[in-house]
Amino acid sequence: MSVGAVSFREAVRVWARIGLLSFGGPAGQVALMHEELVERRRWIDEERFLHALNYCMLLPGPEAQQLATYIGWLMHGARGGLAAGALFVLPGFVAILALSALYASFHQLPAVAAVFFGLKAAVLAIVVEAVRRVGKRALRNRLLVAISALAFVAIFFFDVPYPAVVVGAGAFGFVAGRARPAWFPSGAKQAQGDAGADTVVGGLAATGGLAHTRPSARRAARVAVVGAAVWLGPVAALVAAFGRASVFVREGAFFAKAAVVTFGGAYAVLGYIAQRAVETYGWLRPGEMLDGLGLAETTPGPLIMVVQFVGFLGAHRAGAPLPPMLAGVLGSLVTVWVTFVPCFVWIFLGGPYIERLRGHRALGAALSAITAAVVGVIVNLSLWFALHVVFHRVDARVVGPLRLWVPAPATIDVAALALSALAMLAIFRFKLGLPKTLAGAAVLGASIRLLF
């Protein structure tokens, strides 16, 4: 089937299907799109799909949602990108909004708290599995392993800002890729070898050109101006309505900033968001970030939708001048808006130039270095989560330039440790998969907490 034969209405139906079935985090979501668009429907060929994926990983934001936006834009221009990206997010948005409202109202009930106790243990296992999955794909030589290790040390022990780690890795990869290209294996070739799929496709050809993908300075300027206005306009309206000190404005400003530094997907940035939401703003308590991640893991859509949970709870607790539930809904809306609008802007603004730069070795090397650094950042996240799951109290101690997380041994939660170990066995040894592991952990956690 040629791309011209794919009607916009038909594409919308497929994007809606993908949005409803997009469970399992970015790896599962990318695999679902590959199956639907490359293998089953042949709307886009292997090479162009992988090129789009590689450069969506280089952009800030959730790579799976941006990949959907990118392919939708390739097929039907701006309206195709808007439809694909919005439908990828909409089912998860509705689900997280409903679950956040239930959590805010009932999470202190013993039965609800018991279920979330089990989910936290499973989430820890899922994050560890993400380290293994991403590391296996990204760390293809000793240099990339070294970059990953340095990123972990920088962020875990020296509290180097996450954006600085990503920018530093990308800059090193770009320069080294020009000077020593042999240091960085070809990501596209590696991915093609891993995929093993037939590249003879009748849709968007790897060498085909589309009129709306041609770079234009005038068009880029228009997209930048309109995109900035659409992105930050609602925050300006909230300033006028509630004042700069309101929780809605603070959430809008914080998550707008987070939206431009979320390189490497949700797992990489969750530590940054969790620490600020808990320690700086007081929107959540430490364990609640794990509860939110558990909700995001069990609903369709990007895992970064956990920010909606954070925005809801922070605004719900601040309340005034609105009733708590209405405040939570508004906080949820502004958080999702400022998080996802930039994803569309990056694609519409940079897509034409990304298409022109297909095969650019230096940019490919920058992507490889950033992906390696992200592995180190996810290791940092997994340790941070592990400490807060297994111990009830974890103190931050500063010794010169070092920042150390020191758990209080007397506060160890043996049941949480055992549940995490069982969840890891389920994922790594018995390959039960995400839904079964989460369900089993929730049942076991509830049983332990309610019976003992």
Side-chain angles (χ1 to χ4, degrees):
M1 176 182 292
S2 69
V3 71
V6 180
S7 70
F8 180 67
R9 179 177 295 182
E10 182 181 1
V12 166
R13 285 198 297 268
V14 173
W15 291 122
R17 168 184 168 82
I18 289 173
L20 288 168
L21 297 177
S22 59
F23 294 89
Q29 292 158 359
V30 170
L32 172 65
M33 279 187 278
H34 187 275
E35 179 183 355
E36 289 283 343
L37 304 177
V38 178
E39 297 177 359
R40 181 179 176 186
R41 304 176 193 278
R42 302 195 170 210
W43 286 358
I44 182 171
D45 67 15
E46 184 79 20
E47 182 180 343
R48 207 154 196 171
F49 181 91
L50 292 171
H51 168 77
L53 174 60
N54 284 342
Y55 284 94
C56 286
M57 290 181 64
L58 187 59
L59 296 170
E63 65 269 24
Q65 188 263 352
Q66 289 184 330
L67 177 62
T69 304
Y70 195 110
I71 296 174
W73 166 76
L74 281 177
M75 294 180 63
H76 293 105
R79 67 171 182 164
L82 288 170
L87 288 171
F88 194 88
V89 171
L90 185 59
F93 169 78
V94 174
I96 294 290
L97 181 61
L99 291 171
S100 297
L102 290 172
Y103 183 93
S105 300
F106 302 112
H107 81 282
Q108 292 183 344
L109 294 177
V112 176
V115 169
F116 277 97
F117 166 72
L119 285 177
K120 290 177 189 178
V123 166
L124 174 59
I126 291 165
V127 174
V128 172
E129 201 275 335
V131 174
R132 183 200 65 80
R133 185 180 63 242
V134 178
K136 182 179 179 181
R137 185 185 71 224
L139 306 182
R140 299 191 296 269
N141 60 30
R142 292 182 179 178
L143 174 63
L144 297 176
V145 171
I147 292 172
S148 178
L150 287 173
F152 167 73
V153 170
I155 201 166
F156 189 82
F157 291 105
F158 294 94
D159 198 22
V160 175
Y162 170 74
V165 172
V166 171
V167 171
F172 170 80
F174 186 85
V175 173
R178 292 173 66 93
R180 295 288 189 272
W183 288 357
F184 297 90
S186 174
K189 291 180 180 178
Q190 176 73 26
Q192 285 177 325
D194 292 342
D198 186 359
T199 60
V200 180
V201 181
L204 286 165
T207 58
L210 300 171
H212 66 274
T213 68
R214 295 170 186 163
S216 165
R218 178 177 297 180
R219 176 188 171 279
R222 185 169 63 250
V223 170
V225 171
V226 173
V230 171
W231 180 32
L232 298 177
V235 179
L238 290 171
V239 172
F242 300 104
R244 293 181 179 273
S246 75
V247 66
F248 311 114
V249 173
R250 284 180 293 157
E251 286 183 344
F254 172 71
F255 287 108
K257 176 184 176 182
V260 301
V261 299
T262 53
F263 296 90
Y267 285 121
V269 79
L270 280 176
Y272 168 73
I273 291 176
Q275 290 171 12
R276 297 299 182 273
V278 173
E279 299 168 10
T280 304
Y281 296 102
W283 294 331
L284 300 180
R285 290 179 279 275
E288 290 179 335
M289 191 68 185
L290 292 170
D291 292 341
L293 186 56
L295 293 180
E297 290 278 11
T298 54
T299 53
L303 295 180
I304 199 63
M305 289 297 289
V306 69
V307 301
Q308 180 185 359
F309 175 80
V310 177
F312 187 100
L313 281 192
H316 181 275
R317 287 168 177 165
L322 300 178
M325 195 58 67
L326 183 57
V329 171
L330 182 55
S332 177
L333 286 170
V334 69
T335 298
V336 170
W337 185 266
V338 299
T339 297
F340 285 98
V341 168
C343 297
F344 296 95
V345 177
W346 306 146
I347 299 301
F348 298 156
L349 181 63
Y353 300 96
I354 290 172
E355 281 294 295
R356 174 171 283 187
L357 290 172
R358 275 187 287 138
H360 194 289
R361 289 298 303 268
L363 287 180
L367 171 62
S368 296
I370 287 175
T371 306
V374 164
V375 176
V377 175
I378 299 175
V379 172
N380 161 71
L381 172 66
S382 66
L383 285 181
W384 189 86
F385 275 176
L387 290 172
H388 285 86
V389 167
V390 176
F391 296 92
H392 293 295
R393 199 185 83 206
V394 181
D395 300 319
R397 296 182 184 176
V398 177
V399 182
L402 289 175
R403 191 273 313 273
L404 303 174
W405 295 103
V406 181
T411 67
I412 188 171
D413 190 329
V414 177
L417 180 61
L419 269 179
S420 296
L422 287 174
M424 290 183 191
L425 278 175
I427 290 175
F428 290 103
R429 177 67 178 85
F430 298 105
K431 312 294 183 184
L432 287 186
L434 178 63
K436 291 181 180 179
T437 301
L438 287 170
V443 170
L444 284 175
S447 301
I448 291 171
R449 278 291 186 258
L450 294 176
L451 296 178
F452 299 98

